[in-house]
Amino acid sequence: MLPNEERRKYEPRHSLEEGPREIKPRFTGEEYLLVDGYNVIFAWDELRKLAETSVDAARRVLADVLANFRGVKKNEVILVFDAYKVEGNRGSVEEYHGISVVYTKEAETADTYIEKTAHKLSKKHKVYVATSDGPEQMIILGSGALRMTAAELHSEIGLAKTQIDEFIKRSRLINRARPVEEAFKKAEEKKS
């Protein structure tokens, strides 16, 4: 038998008799999406084919796709590319159509950058990391971030593109109807 002090350590701190317990939201502020750039490029067929002729073009297309995705999802997007083999590279962060594009510094991999950033951000924000790298996914989950495979990101972007297309279609229909409505109004005014 445990003494009273020891027993209290193991007793529940909240009982159902006390009524409902307030659950505080863990995340505040923006939602983040960290993307392992080269991992996604070489996981998506269309970008991998493009990269065979121009890696720079594949990076640009991925950045454009993610900028459009951000416009629908309203989250912060950080696209990370390895530049660790570039001698003397000090790394850089560029803003591109509302997303951050990071090129890691010499001797720093995209995985390392993503792990540090995910760990830091996930303390206050909901963070998703898009990569199909299995070991990287395990580390990300351990830091409190959520994983998303490259295929899942591709699917999410497809859904967002459908939403964009539907919005544009509705907008065009509304804009086409306005002149007709105005003509009817003018005709009614003339009759009166």
Side-chain angles (χ1 to χ4, degrees), residues 143-162:
S143 73
L146 303 166
R147 69 142 182 94
M148 178 184 287
T149 66
E152 289 169 333
L153 177 62
H154 195 271
S155 179
E156 286 284 321
I157 286 172
L159 291 172
K161 185 180 180 322
T162 301

Side-chain angles (χ1 to χ4, degrees), residues 129-146:
V129 176
T131 182
S132 290
D133 180 334
E136 180 69 9
Q137 290 177 353
M138 296 305 291
I139 293 168
I140 291 311
L141 290 170
S143 73
L146 303 166

Side-chain angles (χ1 to χ4, degrees), residues 22 145 174:
E22 181 183 347
I174 290 168

Side-chain angles (χ1 to χ4, degrees), residues 68-69 72-73 155-165:
N68 287 336
F69 183 66
V72 172
K73 288 294 192 175
S155 179
E156 286 284 321
I157 286 172
L159 291 172
K161 185 180 180 322
T162 301
Q163 290 174 339
I164 291 169
D165 292 345

Side-chain angles (χ1 to χ4, degrees), residues 1-11:
M1 188 90 177
L2 293 171
N4 284 341
E5 269 183 41
E6 285 294 310
R7 198 172 325 132
R8 269 182 266 170
K9 287 182 186 177
Y10 301 103
E11 290 177 357

